[in-house]
Each structure stands twice: as structure tokens, then as C-alpha cells.
Amino acid sequence: HQPHQPKHQFCLDFSSTMTGHPTRSLSIRGLLLPLIVASASAATTLVDSSGSLTKSLLPSPTGGDGIVALLSSPGTPGNLFSSSTTVTVENNIISAPGASLEESSGILGRGVASAAAGSIAGAVVLTGVTLADVEVGLDGTRHGRTLAELFASVLRMEKKEGVKTLMIAVQSDSADDVSLDTEDIEEVVEEIFDSVAAAVGVDDELSDYFSIQSTFVSTSEDVAKVMSEAQSAAKSSSLPKSVPTAFSDMYKRVTSASDDADPTPVAEAILACNDAYSRASRTSRAKIASWKHRISRNLLVPKFGARSSALLTRTLDLFDRDTMAAAGLPLAGGQR
């Protein structure tokens, strides 16, 4: 029968029976070390699900590492990347939810957290993009709105922070026998940037801020490769001046923008004008081509005056119908 001993003394005696020497400090450290490691590796919440900043600060990267912004898409089923309704940071990776097209999705649904994270990060990874999103054009999807908020945020910054890597991860089934048109994706992203720049009132180029890369992801190995490349790219970018408060300061700046200053509706209206112009041009181009062909053979175009007037009237009516929403927005009205 052993006399009653305190718990810490039990640790001392247990260790001594194994080694023959008292190792009280080692045994206590062995009990606490797993807790310390778990605490150090746990994700830190920067913004809760209501869109409110927590009191947590952004950890400063060490060893020459940079910051990566992982922009998630909670609306994508089976997303290979992690997604959350809060903003967290872990291992120098800030995970933030992207924008939503639903009006009742709250402040985070505007994409403000993604914009803040992407503005201070050295590399940005846009996830949750599907082949269907690429086919219809990113500008008309929630990803387009996420990018619009990000571009507006960096364009409003007082000075350029250098060119960052923007990786667009397109999720696909490994069995899909399709190729990724990277040039087409880059053109759409550039259109979104140009429309936001016009809405903000600047004349900058996308290449001044971001280097666009797009790639397929279908397995966890693909995800690991994308994140590894993003972390390598982030190392070459400079860190914010005050890392601990960099995210909270940027988040406050983005969220403080009023609805009137929100460039997303203006950017969407400008994109609608561009699309309407392209459709109108295609519609009339065939008719005009047939008239030119007749003239090249020294033939007259029957009833040219009436037909040309009718074509002009119909084309303008269709353009006005498709761009009516832009009429009420001064910055987009000029584009119209």
C-alpha cells in the first residue's frame, strides 16, 4: 500500500521507476509539450462568422516565408480546398470566404474578407472555380465578384506593393478529357480588372499588380502542389510594414467603403455594356458583310436606305435594352 501522493509527485515516481533517477521536470514537460504544440499549430480566427474582427493579431512569418491568401468558395460542392465562413490564419495562410451572389449573405458575402486578405498577401489562390464557371465566364459568377472586390482594394491602396501571383485553381474530375484555355481565363480576369479600374477612376494595368496563373486541380496532390507554388511565390514578395495589424487595418478599410463607393455594381454594368456591344456587332456584321459582297461585284443593294435604317434601329434598341441598368450609374454611363 502506497501513501497518498499529489499528481505531480506521481509523475516523478513513475519516471524514476523507468530510469532509476528522478526526472520530475522531464515528465512534466512531456505532459505539457503536446498541449504547447497543439496550441502553436491551431488556426487563429481573425474574423468571426458575423463579419466582426476578433482581438487576434496576424502572426509574423519567420524564416523568410511570405503570406498566402486562400480565397475559398463555400458554394462549390466537393471543394478540394478547405472552406469556411470565418477568416482564419494558419502556417502563414489566411483562409477567407469569397463573395456570394446572394443579397442576404451578410458582409462577408461581399467578398470584403477575401479582398483584405489578398491585398496584404504575397500570393493569392482563388479556389472553388469549376469548368462551368470558366465556360460561362468568371465575370458573371461569384468568383468574378470576389476578384472585383480584390482589385478594387489594391487599386485604392496609396502605392503599389509589387506584382503578386494570382493562381486560379479550376476544379475538375480527373476523368474529364478537357484542356484549360489559360489565355481565355486571363482575358476575362483582365476585363474584370479594367472595369473595376474604370469604376475607381484609375488607368492602371492588371500586369502592374498581378501575374495570373491558372491550373486544373482534381486530387489532394494537386492541391498540395498549388499551395507549395503559392508559398514559394509569396516568399519573393515583401511583407506589410506592420504584420500583426496588417489584416485588421486593411479589413477595416475595405468594410468602411460605403455602398456608393462599392465598385462591383459599376464594374458589372461596364462588363454588361461590353457584352452588349459584342452581341450587337455580331448581329449586324453578317448583314453588313452581305451588302459589302454585293457592292464588290458592282451590284446594287435593293432598298438599302430602308434596310440600313431598320438594322440601325433594331441594333440600338437591343443595345439599349441590355445596358439600361448602366444608365443610372454615372461611371458606367460613359461606357454605355
Side-chain angles (χ1 to χ4, degrees):
H1 177 73
Q2 297 291 333
H4 177 73
Q5 296 175 331
K7 291 183 178 180
H8 67 270
Q9 186 63 38
F10 173 78
C11 295
L12 169 65
D13 291 347
F14 178 78
S15 301
S16 63
T17 59
M18 298 297 292
T19 63
H21 301 284
T23 54
R24 175 178 178 179
S25 60
L26 291 176
S27 62
I28 293 177
R29 189 191 316 174
L31 291 175
L32 295 181
L33 184 59
L35 299 177
I36 296 174
V37 172
S39 175
S41 61
T44 300
T45 301
L46 301 177
V47 179
D48 61 27
S49 58
S50 68
S52 301
L53 280 167
T54 66
K55 296 182 179 180
S56 300
L57 298 177
L58 186 66
S60 298
T62 59
D65 292 335
I67 299 174
V68 175
L70 181 65
L71 313 187
S72 65
S73 178
T76 300
N79 193 353
L80 293 171
F81 291 84
S82 60
S83 60
S84 174
T85 56
T86 62
V87 181
T88 60
V89 58
E90 184 177 7
N91 298 327
N92 304 324
I93 300 174
I94 304 177
S95 300
S100 170
L101 297 181
E102 299 178 4
E103 295 296 332
S104 59
S105 55
I107 187 172
L108 292 181
R110 281 178 46 197
V112 294
S114 288
S119 297
I120 67 168
V124 182
V125 181
L126 179 65
T127 73
V129 180
T130 65
L131 283 174
D133 294 327
V134 174
E135 290 173 358
V136 301
L138 294 180
D139 53 328
T141 68
R142 60 190 181 281
H143 310 295
R145 186 164 189 178
T146 299
L147 291 174
E149 289 290 343
L150 171 60
F151 294 156
S153 178
V154 297
L155 285 169
R156 287 184 181 134
M157 296 174 69
E158 296 178 357
K159 64 177 182 178
K160 300 175 184 177
E161 298 294 336
V163 179
K164 305 178 182 181
T165 297
L166 172 57
M167 304 183 69
I168 300 177
V170 181
Q171 188 163 314
S172 70
D173 192 319
S174 57
D176 290 340
D177 186 17
V178 294
S179 58
L180 191 63
D181 192 340
T182 57
E183 291 185 1
D184 183 61
I185 293 177
E186 186 171 348
E187 285 182 7
V188 174
V189 173
E190 189 170 0
E191 288 181 2
I192 296 173
F193 182 91
D194 291 342
S195 63
V196 174
V200 175
V202 298
D203 191 26
D204 293 345
E205 299 290 335
L206 174 64
S207 58
D208 296 334
Y209 295 87
F210 293 99
S211 172
I212 309 300
Q213 298 179 18
S214 53
T215 183
F216 271 139
V217 290
S218 57
T219 65
S220 57
E221 289 77 11
D222 294 337
V223 172
K225 181 180 179 181
V226 168
M227 296 307 300
S228 176
E229 292 177 354
Q231 289 171 322
S232 297
K235 289 182 178 181
S236 61
S237 298
S238 59
L239 293 170
K241 290 184 178 180
S242 178
V243 173
T245 61
F247 176 81
S248 58
D249 291 343
M250 183 59 67
Y251 185 78
K252 293 174 184 177
R253 182 175 180 178
V254 175
T255 55
S256 64
S258 64
D259 291 336
D260 292 338
D262 183 5
T264 304
V266 177
E268 291 174 348
I270 292 176
L271 289 170
C273 292
N274 293 338
D275 291 341
Y277 176 80
S278 298
R279 286 194 298 271
S281 297
R282 288 194 301 267
T283 301
S284 58
R285 194 178 299 128
K287 180 62 68 177
I288 295 175
S290 67
W291 292 341
K292 287 183 176 180
H293 182 63
R294 287 187 62 88
I295 294 173
S296 66
R297 293 183 294 153
N298 293 324
L299 298 176
L300 296 175
V301 179
K303 300 180 180 179
F304 174 75
R307 290 183 176 181
S308 60
S309 296
L311 178 62
L312 177 61
T313 301
R314 183 170 65 253
T315 302
L316 291 177
D317 287 346
L318 290 174
F319 183 81
D320 287 343
R321 183 197 65 184
D322 293 340
T323 61
M324 190 60 66
L329 298 171
L331 290 175
Q335 184 77 7
R336 181 172 184 262

